[in-house]
Amino acid sequence: MSKDISRIRSRRPLQSEIRETILGEFILSGRLQPGDKMPSETELCEIFGASRVTIRTAMQGLKDAGYIRIVRGSGSWVLPRPESIHSGLDRLVSFDTFASNSGRPIDSGDVDIVHLAAGDDENTEIFDAADGFTRVSRTKLIDDRVVAFIVDYVPDTVLTTDEMRRMFDGSVLDVLLERGLAAYSDCQITPVVPDAEMSTRFGGSASALLQLSELTRDESGEIVNRSEAWLSPESFTFQLRRRREG
């Protein structure tokens, strides 16, 4: 097996980096097709210079996400690609990253980046002592079909509107992560029936949506972004691993 694996760059746990590198290099790249056998645990240990425990954790992550099937004592096989964008809720990553990791290219449409003064939008009332804000709204599309509508609010004290316009490339969260401004978020997912305006954004065919309301904070706990997203439940699947106490 070739050892030309892409260099690992970020500071996330090694098993997470290895999992996503395996996903990109072997599965999403098309190097291995559904039904093909994955490299053995020994081969992956050699490729990445990592322990068996780390490799097993990375492979378990791919199994949990529905990319591979693991047969104890026999090996791992690539499964058919998930139809929906699939991710756990424990990772602070953007919808664009969710889509990329699922092999479903996602585009932005109807992007609108505007500056707001305090009091212009009730969604900014959650912030403390901010005089101005940037509101970024856009639709997200897969194969030219709208699968999400997202609105973000970022106070001027975090990033100015001009900075956001220069740096925005589909995801506000990616901008914040790149600048080291986002540490964690609290989010709530609620099934909703869209009103006429929201239904129109989805082509008039959405009878139900998932609304994800999220507050992202920096290391000190200050809110750096409020995000409201409406998602097509046919296109997004979220999972949460529950562990026993103790």
Side-chain angles (χ1 to χ4, degrees), residues 91-106:
R91 301 170 56 217
L92 184 60
V93 296
S94 67
F95 294 114
D96 295 58
T97 300
F98 284 161
S100 175
N101 289 347
S102 296
R104 304 293 304 277
I106 193 168

Side-chain angles (χ1 to χ4, degrees), residues 146-217:
V146 175
V147 298
F149 176 64
I150 306 172
V151 185
D152 287 276
Y153 300 87
V154 179
D156 289 350
T157 51
V158 176
L159 284 173
T160 68
T161 301
D162 285 342
E163 288 174 319
M164 184 63 70
R165 286 173 176 153
R166 288 197 304 270
M167 300 182 67
F168 181 77
D169 189 28
S171 167
V172 170
L173 179 57
D174 282 344
V175 173
L176 296 172
L177 289 171
E178 183 179 337
R179 295 284 293 267
L181 298 171
Y184 64 96
S185 73
D186 299 303
C187 65
Q188 176 177 313
I189 298 180
T190 307
V192 297
V193 176
D195 59 21
E197 180 181 356
M198 188 62 66
S199 181
T200 298
R201 294 185 187 277
F202 285 79
S205 60
S207 59
L209 297 171
L210 297 175
Q211 182 175 356
L212 192 153
S213 300
E214 188 168 19
L215 296 179
T216 302
R217 301 176 187 267

Side-chain angles (χ1 to χ4, degrees), residues 7-126:
R7 185 177 180 182
I8 296 172
R9 292 183 293 273
S10 77
R11 297 180 180 178
R12 288 183 297 148
L14 180 59
Q15 59 266 29
S16 297
E17 286 299 312
I18 290 176
R19 179 191 64 217
E20 296 198 5
T21 303
I22 292 173
L23 177 63
E25 296 286 347
F26 290 106
I27 300 174
L28 300 185
S29 67
R31 176 186 287 186
L32 297 179
Q33 296 297 314
D36 287 348
K37 189 173 183 179
M38 294 289 295
S40 70
E41 189 176 277
T42 299
E43 289 175 310
L44 291 173
C45 287
E46 181 182 352
I47 289 170
F48 289 101
S51 70
R52 289 185 178 274
V53 171
T54 299
I55 294 299
R56 285 172 187 165
T57 303
M59 295 295 281
Q60 184 65 41
L62 293 174
K63 176 180 179 292
D64 292 343
Y67 288 106
I68 63 173
R69 174 173 61 95
I70 298 176
V71 178
R72 188 177 299 275
S74 298
S76 305
W77 283 263
V78 179
L79 291 174
R81 190 75 51 80
E83 289 300 318
S84 62
I85 296 172
H86 196 286
S87 183
L89 285 174
D90 58 337
R91 301 170 56 217
L92 184 60
V93 296
S94 67
F95 294 114
D96 295 58
T97 300
F98 284 161
S100 175
N101 289 347
S102 296
R104 304 293 304 277
I106 193 168
D107 299 313
S108 297
D110 300 324
V111 177
D112 186 34
I113 302 177
V114 298
H115 186 263
L116 303 173
D120 284 351
D121 191 313
E122 63 181 12
N123 285 305
T124 63
E125 294 174 2
I126 192 71

